Amino acid sequence: MPMKGFTLWFTGLPSSGKSTLAQRVQEILLERGMNVELLDGDEVRQNLCKGLGFSKEDRDANIRRIGYVCKLLSRNGAVAIAAAISPYREIRDENRKAIANYVEVYVKAPIEVLVERDTKGLYKKAIAGELKNFTGISDPYEAPENPEILIESDKETAEESTMKIIRTLELMGLIPGAPAESEYSAEEEEKIKARLKDLGYI
């Protein structure tokens, strides 16, 4: 069965787990024979967006460029996965309007958990005023109001979050079902279906 191209857009504060989950989802989709490209925020900044800083204008330009590449990939039948902080709701919504089959994944966790998780100590530097324009501390982060998928990375294991994303994509008809028997619990299945029903997908 030919599959639709789509964009899976991870957003969340630094150290929330976006890149880890994006890589795990990518591995599963590749195993299922799909064409997948992962655009990680840090890597994109070194190439596609080199030279951009961290002002609001530059951050907006960064997210628009990633969105444009996702749009091209999606409309040609590939799966584009973006893992970028993407702090501003307006630009995320702009991408949502421009890209067919756009699925937003909000990776959420409390700041105090992220501070402890941050092995580079960037949060502590930002809190101490040593690091400027740090999202969530000295720069705003506008959380999604109604993402297709909500991940609470302080309450779920990475494996649970990954399978929640995969199952949601299956229920939306964007990826083929698992080759083996379903590993989802009845409770997890009902939560995913309830969210998709609220959003009008099923």
Side-chain angles (χ1 to χ4, degrees):
M1 178 178 70
M3 299 306 299
K4 302 172 189 169
F6 66 93
T7 290
L8 190 62
W9 192 285
F10 288 81
T11 178
L13 287 166
S15 302
S16 58
K18 301 178 296 300
S19 295
T20 299
L21 293 175
Q23 287 165 6
R24 290 187 180 213
V25 169
Q26 180 191 31
E27 288 168 7
I28 291 173
L29 297 187
L30 287 171
E31 285 170 3
R32 295 191 187 183
M34 305 194 73
N35 293 322
V36 187
E37 191 63 51
L38 170 59
L39 295 113
D40 184 80
D42 291 338
E43 191 179 327
V44 169
R45 272 195 173 270
Q46 293 300 316
N47 297 284
L48 182 67
C49 300
K50 197 168 186 177
L52 291 178
F54 292 91
S55 66
K56 182 178 185 308
E57 291 73 22
D58 281 0
R59 286 173 188 266
D60 288 350
N62 182 43
I63 297 308
R64 280 196 182 101
R65 289 183 195 180
I66 298 174
Y68 181 69
V69 175
C70 288
K71 176 182 171 182
L72 297 181
L73 290 167
S74 295
R75 79 180 183 197
N76 284 287
V79 179
I81 302 178
I85 296 170
S86 37
Y88 298 107
R89 193 175 298 130
E90 181 184 1
I91 305 304
R92 292 197 306 266
D93 288 346
E94 193 178 295
N95 283 339
R96 176 186 285 279
K97 287 176 187 167
I99 302 170
N101 299 323
Y102 179 95
V103 180
E104 190 170 64
V105 184
Y106 174 29
V107 186
K108 178 183 175 186
I111 289 280
E112 54 271 23
V113 171
L114 301 179
V115 171
E116 290 304 313
R117 192 183 284 174
D118 174 22
T119 54
K120 296 177 184 172
L122 299 178
Y123 273 100
K124 287 177 180 170
K125 285 184 181 176
I127 290 168
E130 298 168 13
L131 196 59
K132 306 297 180 190
N133 302 115
F134 193 83
T135 303
I137 303 297
S138 48
D139 245 28
Y141 177 76
E142 299 169 357
E145 294 179 328
N146 219 3
E148 277 77 9
I149 305 171
L150 172 64
I151 298 297
E152 295 183 272
S153 67
D154 60 316
K155 298 177 182 172
E156 306 165 9
T157 66
E159 181 62 21
E160 288 169 340
S161 299
T162 302
M163 297 319 294
K164 180 194 284 187
I165 294 165
I166 292 295
R167 186 56 182 151
T168 303
L169 296 174
E170 288 173 352
L171 288 170
M172 293 175 79
L174 293 171
I175 64 172
E181 198 172 315
S182 174
E183 297 176 1
Y184 311 105
S185 70
E187 184 185 3
E188 187 66 20
E189 188 92 6
E190 286 310 308
K191 282 183 184 174
I192 293 171
K193 285 181 179 175
R195 182 155 196 86
L196 290 177
K197 191 173 180 183
D198 286 346
L199 293 169
Y201 287 100
I202 59 175

